[in-house]
Amino acid sequence: MPASILFAVLAAGQLALVCWCVLRYRRTGDRMLIVPAVVCAALVYDNAILAAGRWIGAGDALETLSVFRFVAHLVLTPLLMPWARAAAGLAGVTWVRRALVRAVVYAATLGVILLGVFGELAGLALRPAEWAGTVRYTTEHASPAGVLSPVVTVVVVLVAAAAVWRVRGYRLWTVTTVTMTVVSAAMPPMLLTNCAELVFAWGVVATAVWLSGAGRISAPAAMSES
């Protein structure tokens, strides 16, 4: 099966997660579903462009369409850090509600976004590349800014997920985050990395849905447990 078809399947999987968030939001009005929906929508676009590249072909059109792939990864993905802190707080992890923790997470989020914008996007240079029948645009040179953003984001999310597991016994978020971390660290082909991203996104969305149901603990109740 051509890799482009598999990327299309991954795009469909991410789109299903977006729909899950939208349907749940319409039922509950829970704003904690917004960030997961936005991140999953960006991943829909990412995989869709990878799937369509072989038909679009190398050229100005595909290069222009590919720019947003990098913008989304460097600007939207870090939003999972303050989301993860808020999610852990709603799940009953009281220490993440401290002003210092909140300030550190917001500073880290702003820091990696600015680093991505000025260290990667400002001088973004793309080149065409082919793999397993797919055509895509990738960066000319790897930069620390492009690597630091996902690393810092995953570390913050993993800490929050592990804290929720410890306090509430809810392990899905941790397991899916660890899965993506291990796969990404192994530096496999992009297709496997994007499969791991789908697993990670599923864990994030499932956690948001859990929080909108029985997972959320009110602030007074959480304080009384500490």
Side-chain angles (χ1 to χ4, degrees), residues 46 63-64 88 94 97 102 108 116 122 128-129 137 144 150 174 207-208 210 215 220:
D46 182 59
E63 183 175 2
T64 300
T94 55
R97 297 174 179 168
R102 184 183 298 108
Y137 272 82
T174 302
T207 300
W210 173 70

Side-chain angles (χ1 to χ4, degrees), residues 91-164:
V93 182
T94 55
W95 62 265
V96 302
R97 297 174 179 168
R98 296 172 185 168
L100 178 60
V101 175
R102 184 183 298 108
V104 168
V105 171
Y106 280 126
T109 303
L110 180 60
V112 296
I113 289 176
L114 291 177
L115 183 62
V117 170
F118 293 104
E120 178 86 0
L121 296 179
L124 186 65
L126 302 178
R127 61 176 177 82
E130 296 185 13
W131 178 80
T134 62
V135 178
R136 73 184 192 278
Y137 272 82
T138 185
T139 53
E140 286 279 5
H141 305 287
S143 70
V147 175
L148 188 61
S149 176
V151 169
V152 174
T153 299
V154 168
V155 168
V156 172
V157 172
L158 185 56
V159 169
V164 172

Side-chain angles (χ1 to χ4, degrees), residues 2-14 44 47-48 50-52 55 191:
S4 57
I5 301 300
L6 297 177
F7 280 118
V9 171
L10 291 176
Q14 296 287 1
V44 171
N47 285 288
L50 292 172
W55 289 283
L191 181 61

Side-chain angles (χ1 to χ4, degrees), residues 3 24 27 39 51 54 56 60 62 65 70 81 84 86 94 99 109 115 117 137 141 145 157 162 177 179 192 207:
R24 188 71 180 185
R27 288 179 57 190
V39 172
R54 65 178 296 186
I56 298 173
D60 291 342
L62 183 58
L65 290 170
F70 298 91
M81 288 191 279
T94 55
T109 303
L115 183 62
V117 170
Y137 272 82
H141 305 287
V157 172
T177 303
T179 298
L192 293 181
T207 300

Side-chain angles (χ1 to χ4, degrees), residues 12-22 36-37 40 197-198 201-203 205-206:
Q14 296 287 1
L15 181 59
L17 294 178
V18 174
C19 293
W20 191 11
C21 288
V22 171
C40 289
E197 284 183 346
L198 178 59
W202 169 60
V205 172

